[in-house]
Amino acid sequence: MQINLTDVSHSFSGQPQLFTHVTFSICSGEMVAIVGPSGSGKSTLLSILAGWQKPSEGEVLRSGIESISWVFQNPHGVAQRSALDHVSLPLLARGLGRSEADTEARRILEIFGLLELSHRPFSSLSGGEAQRLMLSRAVAKKPSVLLVDEPTAQLDMASAKTVNAVLSSLSGIDSIVVVATHDFHTRDACSRVIDLNDFIIDESS
Amino acid sequence: MRKTVIAQEAFRNISTGASRTVYLFFVISFILFSGAGWSSRTVVDLSMDAEKFRQAGGSVTIVSAPAKIDGEQCDALSKTSGISSSGAIRQIESITFSALPDRALNQYAITPGFASLLSSTSLETSVSGIWISRDLSSDTGWLAGSKVSLSDGRTSDVAGVYDFPSDGRDQSLAYAVASPYSYSDLFDECWIDSWPISPQSEQLSYLSVLASPDGIFEMEVPTIRQLNSTLGVKFDGSEKFDKVPFVAVQIFLIAISFSSATIWIWTRRLEFSSALHAGVRRADIILQLIIEFSVLMVPAGLVSAIILYFFSHYSNPDPWISSFCVGLKFIFISALAFLLSIIFTPLFLREDNLFRYFKER
């Protein structure tokens, strides 16, 4: 599995160029951090990697990519449904029966340190717990590409630490993991860093 | 997803409230019942108007031909389809009761058929006695079975009391006495209560008028009038029914039902886009929504049908089933519109909308 970006540039209509001539490749098993200041286009680059947005210029090639999972900055879930239900859903969608899916979901929740919260409704989880739940749900889908957008931006230090710990454990999975972040600790959890500052035209020079 | 799993997901959504259960239940109930209730009551109101028209004597046609009406033929008209009762009448000498010595009351000779026209119950020819109006009964306290004294010393039995309210009708019988007579004498008028009123009824009424051997009416031409014309010459139920904007209300109801279901799904769009992102097939989401809707539709429909039953019953002079069925049709139409929205709205949910939703949050 591989994603190749060649000379990708993007701008929204009527707005200045976000980034230009971005060129890089990511292979499965890699965990890459995309860093840059706010508004530099980190989330936009993720949506281009996902194929949800077309770049203004350049080429994106995806080989062997079957599915993509996305974890957003704001954890989203069904307030009334349990943590276990959230992780079971992608497994049930793969055709597993209820008991098989729940068993597998509990195993994943244990990895992410959420097993004790499995029966709690989503609305009762803290920000850090909800973010870890979203990561565990994304992993349960066994995606080819896992895109994580600013996972610690809305969290306090303690919660961010637990999420970063979980992110570190993702480096072993057989997926392409791309994390957009401006958190140094999150960046350190990744095996490679792509800095969007290198692809921004400095209009003042 | 397996079908059993889809059903489980639907039931879990309902039991936890994730389906917006309360909202959906009340919206479905309100929409189902408002349309059904309105249509049902409209039909009942039409029936009540028709009944009011009949009760006020609007459906009674009077053919007048002094001393030319054959009482037996007039009574026999009630056996004709569309004519509920008919009877002949003629004014005879006034009557004075001992209790009201200063007041000579109008007295009418009537055929047995006329008595049933007055009382809505048939009167055996063997039953003797006089019929008195409700107003006279109220003033004197006489009721059916009372024995009354006449000023000439004779007595008479009261065979019955008839209602003849002051509702715009000809008031000749409002404070009077009616005495059943044999068919041997000729009468002045033939009253025909026909429902629904048709031009045929008027033609039929002429059959009670004796004609000369050459087929030409003797003396003057009989006249036709309505007992009470204050509520209109005729009551055309089907015309009034056609004027009710049932189709427009149905279209409005379809739009409201469809929109409500769309809003219901749209407020959960993040959940469904997220489910699509988790790998759930769109068809499975639609099936899950249909199950959620059906589970709430059954009690909501049942509650609506029960209330509709009472609406169809209340003050309805006609059998309740016809207005109930009209209401039921509205329930089905609303449910169908809900269902169509549930099938079509998820087609506009897209996984990649997730990104847009989060940008907009």
Side-chain angles (χ1 to χ4, degrees), chain B residues 191-266:
Chain B
W191 292 27
I192 297 168
D193 188 357
S194 57
W195 191 256
I197 297 172
S198 71
Q200 226 183 356
S201 315
E202 198 173 295
Q203 299 301 319
L204 282 170
S205 65
Y206 286 115
L207 292 176
S208 64
V209 182
L210 286 177
S212 63
D214 59 4
I216 302 168
F217 288 123
E218 293 173 1
M219 310 280 283
E220 45 193 274
V221 178
T223 57
I224 293 277
R225 71 177 197 276
Q226 195 179 359
L227 176 61
N228 188 350
S229 58
T230 55
L231 296 176
V233 176
K234 62 172 188 171
F235 185 91
D236 193 335
S238 57
E239 189 187 324
K240 284 179 188 288
F241 188 85
D242 289 343
K243 280 183 180 169
V244 178
F246 283 116
V247 175
V249 173
Q250 279 171 3
I251 291 169
F252 177 70
L253 212 60
I254 287 169
I256 290 285
S257 305
F258 196 94
S259 309
S260 299
T262 303
I263 290 168
W264 175 55
I265 295 167
W266 209 242

Side-chain angles (χ1 to χ4, degrees), chain A residues 33-46:
Chain A
I34 295 176
V35 298
S38 294
S40 61
K42 298 188 290 295
S43 299
T44 305
L45 186 56
L46 287 188

